[in-house]
Amino acid sequence: MDETTSVQSLRGFLDMVRTRFPEEYLQIRDRVNPRLVSTAMVLELDRAGRSPVVMFDKLGDSGMACVTNIAANRKLLGACLGVGACELPTVFRERSQRPIPCELVQRGEWDDVVIEGDEVDLTKLPIPHQFTVDAAPYITAGQVTARDPVTGIDTTGFHRLMLAGRNRLGISLHSRRRMYEYHRRAEQRGHSLPAAITIGVHPLHYMGSMTYAYGADVRKYEIIGALFGQPYRLARCGVGDLEAPAGAEMVIEGEILAGVHEPEGPFGEFTGYASYRSTQNVFVAHRIRMRRDAFFHSITAGMSKDHILISSVTREGEILNALRRNLPNVTAVHVPHSTCGAFLAVVAMKKTAAGEPQMAVMATLGTELYTKYVIVVDDDVDIFDLNDVFWAIATRVQAEKDIFFIPGAKGAVIDPSSDPQSFTVTKMGIDATRPSGREFAERLVVPDEARDRARAILSAAGITL
Ligand SMILES: Cc1cc2nc3c(=O)[nH]c(=O)nc-3n(C[C@H](O)[C@H](O)[C@H](O)COP(=O)(O)O)c2cc1C
């Protein structure tokens, strides 16, 4: 593999972690049961505040290794962009606005082994069965690509894929973005949608696939290139003229059937609930191409950081992007993990006039469909510390004027509290900024000098903070 393709591959990312952050790489050499145990391990790590990449050398009996938890760590995601964790959302936002055309190479690294027709057997892959409620093992790190039957522009994005047979996967397109629309357009023309599933991509591909703010003629692959700062390398696979990242581990070629719906789910979703809501589409696999020494990639599902963090970071970037157009005084956005990485956003601003927090709430809700609650605070509040945010709500809010509701708004299908028929929700804004135009209570602060001295004394007494 040449150097550029390597840098853009999941292998390149794993090399970077092993070399620069060895403490963030956990290799499990013993055989691990793919039924519940691999997921339980990552959730235990999350609970302990640890977020290493986890490589299972032997997951079940497949003989293929499986990596998980590649996207659970802000420090590692920042390193992918060459920045620290704090700058991650802003740099993501800036880079993703400058798409770079892709580079088409002759051959994908996944073209070593080709399995076709009756030989295709997805049950041989080390696909974890993650929660007891899950209807079956799920491919959770499959980037599904297809072209718009009308414009020819392609897309790439994660969609959960339920193992339904040797060559059959249930697929849910519930986020109703490009793939849902492309499939609908193909169906209207009376044919299935040629599609390919790429497994084993770099975390920047994962991030770029989650972007929303782009024109209909922009390829997400071009945004992924923008994140790398160089053309993303793609190669043609065997379905139509679809292209897949040249450095990926494997590509599953097939089609999403027209007019066919089969039961899919339940699945342990990022909401922390079993999700029964699904578009119940069906993907049929015709061919698998993979590297000779391919390994599998699985995203730990449920409320793991692996499942949620990239959604948080990309939404922080998208919301910042939207807010800064009219409110350059917005200083930061936090989309916390504990609120499922989307249902709540906290916005910090240097308020200059009454009404700006309301503007920020409306712009945020207009940007991100999944967001139900927006809290706006002053920039003295550390929005990455939810204790500080709750303190601001407790001390700066008068409910009857500072909390407002927008009933009947379009919400996430996957939110279990949304209306079961219309999927609408009541959205809420909280203005937790100090009131404008009058003196307000003075916040207690400990001067840096006193804090430094206190830390030194505590450290000498054996307490390191
Ligand atoms: C780990 C993960 C799993 C996801 N699973 C699904 C899914 O099963 N169905 C879905 O519609 N969207 C899912 N999403 C959200 C989509 O990937 C996201 O909305 C993407 O932008 C859609 O791509 P598209 O524009 O090609 O449709 C998932 C996102 C992540 C991060």
Side-chain angles (χ1 to χ4, degrees):
M1 183 167 43
D2 79 38
E3 207 187 319
T4 308
T5 306
S6 169
V7 165
Q8 297 179 354
S9 71
L10 178 51
R11 287 174 187 231
F13 169 73
L14 297 180
D15 283 346
M16 179 202 76
V17 177
R18 281 188 291 251
T19 312
R20 291 179 48 201
F21 307 96
E23 72 287 0
E24 303 291 0
Y25 189 85
L26 178 62
Q27 185 156 13
I28 306 291
R29 295 183 196 280
D30 292 338
R31 189 176 304 280
V32 171
N33 189 343
R35 190 180 162 84
L36 313 182
V37 180
S38 52
T39 297
M41 270 185 61
V42 171
L43 294 178
E44 284 304 301
L45 284 164
D46 272 358
R47 215 184 305 276
R50 301 281 313 275
S51 311
V53 170
V54 184
M55 175 65 90
F56 294 103
D57 284 353
K58 297 178 198 129
L59 192 63
D61 300 321
S62 72
M64 189 182 271
C66 176
V67 70
T68 189
N69 222 29
I70 69 160
N73 190 315
R74 279 191 191 248
K75 179 175 69 180
L76 298 184
L77 295 180
C80 292
L81 289 171
V83 298
C86 296
E87 298 144 284
L88 183 56
T90 12
V91 171
F92 161 76
R93 160 187 164 260
E94 278 154 16
R95 291 227 194 132
S96 60
Q97 285 172 300
R98 296 193 296 269
I100 298 179
C102 303
E103 183 182 338
L104 192 61
V105 299
Q106 282 302 316
R107 183 180 178 278
E109 296 296 321
W110 29 263
D111 228 352
D112 290 342
V113 179
V114 181
I115 304 165
E116 336 187 55
D118 290 346
E119 296 298 310
V120 169
D121 187 358
L122 299 170
T123 67
K124 288 188 175 158
L125 297 172
I127 309 175
H129 188 129
Q130 303 214 27
F131 291 93
T132 39
V133 294
D134 288 357
Y138 268 85
I139 297 177
T140 51
Q143 277 283 329
V144 188
T145 185
R147 282 192 194 276
D148 184 339
V150 177
T151 65
I153 295 292
D154 57 7
T155 191
T156 178
F158 283 124
H159 296 274
R160 68 189 197 212
L161 298 153
M162 184 189 79
L163 188 64
R166 285 164 60 99
N167 70 344
R168 211 168 180 85
L169 296 163
I171 177 170
S172 179
L173 308 177
H174 53 253
S175 60
R176 294 171 195 245
R177 294 190 189 269
R178 279 189 174 177
M179 192 60 72
Y180 176 82
E181 189 53 29
Y182 293 2
H183 180 258
R184 200 182 63 81
R185 289 177 183 178
E187 252 181 351
Q188 274 179 345
R189 285 163 178 71
H191 57 77
S192 63
L193 183 70
I197 301 165
T198 307
I199 295 175
V201 296
H202 192 282
L204 290 186
H205 183 136
Y206 185 162
M207 275 174 96
S209 78
M210 295 293 291
T211 44
Y212 304 144
Y214 49 81
D217 57 341
V218 175
R219 305 175 72 187
K220 280 200 218 170
Y221 286 141
E222 296 172 345
I223 297 172
I224 296 165
L227 296 179
F228 280 114
Q230 57 183 196
Y232 196 30
R233 290 214 170 163
L234 306 172
R236 282 242 154 95
C237 63
V239 191
D241 57 352
L242 285 181
E243 293 164 19
E249 293 301 310
M250 69 178 74
V251 177
I252 304 170
E253 301 167 5
E255 59 189 318
I256 305 175
L257 300 180
V260 178
H261 293 273
E262 291 175 4
E264 185 279 322
F267 174 69
E269 268 295 353
F270 69 92
T271 52
Y273 293 94
S275 171
Y276 291 78
R277 294 179 177 174
S278 167
T279 56
Q280 306 203 316
N281 297 102
V282 177
F283 178 97
V284 175
H286 301 310
R287 194 176 298 111
I288 304 175
R289 296 172 194 262
M290 64 171 101
R291 291 174 184 253
R292 216 171 306 284
D293 58 348
F295 58 84
F296 196 67
H297 172 210
S298 177
I299 292 171
T300 301
M303 275 194 77
S304 77
K305 289 206 182 118
D306 196 26
H307 201 183
I308 289 178
L309 181 61
I310 286 203
S311 305
S312 294
V313 171
T314 50
R315 284 175 169 118
E316 285 163 6
E318 299 286 359
I319 293 169
L320 260 175
N321 205 7
L323 290 180
R324 289 253 174 93
R325 282 190 203 119
N326 289 317
L327 292 165
N329 50 336
V330 166
T331 53
V333 173
H334 181 205
V335 174
H337 170 254
S338 51
T339 53
C340 314
F343 290 171
L344 182 140
V346 190
V347 177
M349 63 161 43
K350 269 187 204 305
K351 189 168 78 169
T352 58
E356 285 178 345
Q358 285 73 4
M359 272 178 76
V361 168
M362 291 186 288
T364 303
L365 295 176
T367 304
E368 179 45 59
L369 159 75
Y370 278 62
T371 303
K372 290 161 79 178
Y373 309 131
V374 185
I375 302 170
V376 186
V377 297
D378 298 296
D379 71 331
D380 66 319
V381 175
D382 177 359
I383 58 173
F384 289 90
D385 176 357
L386 293 182
N387 288 327
D388 218 22
V389 174
F390 284 132
W391 170 82
I393 294 173
T395 60
R396 297 180 182 180
V397 170
Q398 285 302 310
E400 85 285 358
K401 66 178 179 57
D402 294 325
I403 301 182
F404 40 96
F405 301 109
I406 300 156
K410 188 173 174 193
V413 171
I414 214 151
D415 171 0
S417 72
S418 63
D419 183 276
Q421 265 81 48
S422 63
F423 306 121
T424 53
V425 297
T426 297
K427 306 224 171 186
M428 177 177 73
I430 301 182
D431 173 7
T433 60
R434 289 175 295 241
S436 305
R438 70 166 171 93
E439 287 295 307
F440 195 73
E442 192 181 336
R443 181 174 190 169
L444 302 181
V445 281
V446 178
D448 287 346
E449 198 196 342
R451 185 181 287 191
D452 290 345
R453 260 199 235 158
R455 283 174 180 256
I457 295 166
L458 287 168
S459 169
I463 299 174
T464 317
L465 300 171

